[in-house]
Amino acid sequence: MRLNELRDNQGARKTRVRVGRGTSSGKGKTGGRGVKGQKSRSGVSIKGFEGGQMPLHMRLPKRGFNVPNPKKLNAVNLGRLQQALDAGKLNASDPVNTASLKSAGVIRRELDGVRIIGNGELKTKLDFEVFGVSASAREAIEKLGGKITVLAPAPSKDDDDAKAEKKAKKKAAKKAEADVEETDTEEEALAEETASGDTDNEDNQSE
């Protein structure tokens, strides 16, 4: 083989379709874009539009709740910790935290913290300083006499009080608005009654 004989495999390079080159080419006239209209123009993107009908993605029911700023946590099983202990990568006397797990190769990145999951069996007493612990993992750790320090911020009492106060204010404002509307309705009814009485008096006097 010579350098001038080097070429791509058959079919590796395809010739670009040249549109608008006569009706006999198969891509003439409208050039494969169909008939006239908005979608036959360039730069048009109509996603989910159904001609004014409510689109499918809006008709379907919504379920659940998406947290706006979710935490990215490393989930670590108890069985994986025991493997690291057996391999000598984790020291049972040191607290298990993000830094120690990363140095032991149990996790790759620190992310926002570590959550311990109860899968597998832990045979060694360990102390934990982690973002969260599942109920089954907590039970297994405390059964061995381990200590757990949860680093996740717990909801404070001030936050609960603020929420309750805000709810009470909203309820009071709604009640006050309803009372005002009821008072206005009563005043309007009284005014109408007075006006009808005056009209009756005028009719009696004219008679």
Side-chain angles (χ1 to χ4, degrees), residues 156-169:
S156 63
K157 190 174 181 296
D158 295 337
D159 293 341
D160 295 339
D161 293 341
K163 284 182 181 178
E165 186 179 352
K166 188 176 180 182
K167 193 174 181 180
K169 282 183 179 179

Side-chain angles (χ1 to χ4, degrees), residues 134-168:
S134 69
S136 58
R138 180 182 290 275
E139 185 181 350
I141 293 165
E142 290 177 349
K143 188 175 180 181
L144 292 168
K147 182 183 175 184
I148 301 169
T149 304
V150 178
L151 305 177
S156 63
K157 190 174 181 296
D158 295 337
D159 293 341
D160 295 339
D161 293 341
K163 284 182 181 178
E165 186 179 352
K166 188 176 180 182
K167 193 174 181 180

